[in-house]
Amino acid sequence: MTTFVDRVELHVAAGNGGHGCASVHREKFKPLGGPDGGNGGRGGDVILVVDQSVTTLLDYHHSPHRKATNGKPGEGGNRAGKEGEDLVLAVPDGTVVLDKQGNVLADLVGEGTSFVAAQGGRGGLGNAALASARRKAPGFALLGEPGDAGDVVLELKTVADVALVGYPSAGKSSLISVMSAAKPKIADYPFTTLVPNLGVVTAGSTVYTVADVPGLIPGASQGKGLGLEFLRHVERCSVLVHVLDTATLESDRDPVSDLDVIEEELRSYGGGLDKRPRLVVLNKIDVPDGKDLAEMVRPDLEERGYRVFEVSAVARTGLKELSFALAELVAKHRARKPKDEATRIVIRPKAVDDSGFTVTREEDGLYRVRGEKPERWVRQTDFNNDEAVGFLADRLNRLGVEAALMKAGARSGDGVAIGPEDNAVVFDWEPTVTAGAEMLGRRGEDHRFEEPRPAAQRRRDRQAERDDATQEFEDFKPF
């Protein structure tokens, strides 16, 4: 079990995005040449890719923690930070990716099939990208987003056309060794096979693969023996072959009872294994008692609807007929299988009236804001910079968060949290927008015009100075 691992828990972490740079261009006689801070680089992804040369998950069993590189921060002179390198992890063909709850995230079958297990964080914008007509020289930049991190379970399901199932020491390994070039371990004791073995068989113009899995015993579907560990490796097979031992020395066993036990385990495991096309192989007919027992049970098995083949892996008899019968079943399955179509890219745009966030009031009186945009903006904000905090407030205001809080009943000083419970920014809310009705006074009056307006006052003072100068000139009379 130390050289073959077919199930691991992998801890993956994508790279963080680089921070944006807040910089001002400076040169001789031009100390304030405008913002020139570059954007931060994107963090690297963690990508799983099918590689036919990889046959086990052993590397990830020994090193389960994998992390991609971070993006570099931006620099002055409009220099963007370097993007983090993607971490590409090679996995065997037939690897299934699941979350901790057992939900299937991806089924990786076929050379080059890939899945992004963790996505890198976005790089933060520099102050050059944040400049606008209203904000010509931002004194802040956005922070890079953290990359995704989490745990995924990798489970290997062997990709083969035919699976050999049966009791331990029924001769499955011997059979695959003479039908193909595979060299599994063969010995005269039970559970010699500890890992699935694959062999390639050629019968006429049909080439197919055969899998030999560890022997099954009663209760294998509930975890007894090695059956539960490796029954998953026959889920993808299109044909099952019952290998029955006709020379067993155990008095309480015979080929028919062995078949009934294995069939019951296949039904208990599920996955439709009990409905796959199947053949019966009566093995070890080279033994005299084995030949007699095979001839005795064959009519009973044929009455059940099975095609029965009497073979001997040692004497290599009956193998040609068996290989061509399997090739016929495999060819029929391939003909019924729908052709692979090119992956369609489906675009599902969001509704135009979708605000993109929700506001809920919790039992303790806290108002929680959830949404992709507001949560991302919070992660990108440097709360040590007052201008950056003001920029965040403007963005939330334009998105409609403050109006939604008012509609939900929030008042000045109420607690507001943006983000999930385990990672949220909590603050006392002070509204920066006004609804308008509370600003109305007596008819014809508006107290907004009573507020001091420095720019308008300066314009009035300059106009008064010009008027005084004009009046002095007109009053001047030369001698």
Side-chain angles (χ1 to χ4, degrees), residues 6 28 37 69 71 88 144 150 182 191 208 222 226 250 343 447 451 469 476:
D6 63 348
K28 191 175 182 180
T69 57
V88 180
F191 296 112
Y208 56 93
Q222 282 74 42
L226 298 176
E250 300 180 27
T343 303
H447 67 268
E451 298 176 357
F476 175 73

Side-chain angles (χ1 to χ4, degrees), residues 75-91:
E75 299 179 2
N78 294 306
R79 289 174 292 181
K82 182 180 178 182
E83 293 187 350
E85 295 183 2
D86 294 337
L87 178 61
V88 180
L89 304 178
V91 296

Side-chain angles (χ1 to χ4, degrees), residues 396-411:
L396 295 176
N397 185 9
R398 290 194 299 269
L399 186 62
V401 173
E402 293 203 357
L405 286 171
M406 284 186 174
K407 185 176 180 180
R411 297 179 180 275

Side-chain angles (χ1 to χ4, degrees), residues 8-14 45-54 56-57 59-61 63-68 85-93 95 97 108 112-118 150 152 154:
V8 297
E9 183 174 332
L10 193 62
H11 312 281
V12 294
D45 299 335
V46 179
I47 306 174
L48 305 176
V49 179
V50 173
D51 188 344
Q52 296 286 1
S53 64
V54 179
T56 178
L57 300 171
D59 290 345
Y60 308 121
H61 173 73
S63 302
H65 297 272
R66 302 300 176 103
K67 187 179 187 307
E85 295 183 2
D86 294 337
L87 178 61
V88 180
L89 304 178
V91 296
D93 191 7
T95 300
V97 186
L108 306 179
T113 305
S114 62
F115 171 72
V116 179
V152 294
L154 304 184

Side-chain angles (χ1 to χ4, degrees), residues 107 109 112-114 339-348:
D107 192 353
V109 178
T113 305
S114 62
K339 295 182 179 180
D340 295 334
E341 298 182 357
T343 303
R344 295 182 179 181
I345 300 176
V346 181
I347 300 177
R348 296 183 176 90

Side-chain angles (χ1 to χ4, degrees), residues 119-172:
Q119 190 169 17
R122 299 184 184 182
L125 296 179
N127 65 342
L130 296 173
S132 64
R134 296 180 57 188
R135 185 181 289 104
K136 296 184 178 180
F140 67 97
L142 298 185
L143 303 180
E145 289 188 77
D148 295 338
D151 301 333
V152 294
V153 177
L154 304 184
E155 191 175 86
L156 176 60
K157 295 182 180 180
T158 303
V159 179
D161 298 304
V162 179
L164 305 181
V165 296
Y167 266 77
S169 300
K172 301 184 298 297

Side-chain angles (χ1 to χ4, degrees), residues 19-32:
H19 300 329
C21 176
S23 173
V24 177
H25 178 70
R26 291 179 175 85
E27 61 183 62
K28 191 175 182 180
F29 306 120
K30 196 175 183 181
L32 299 176

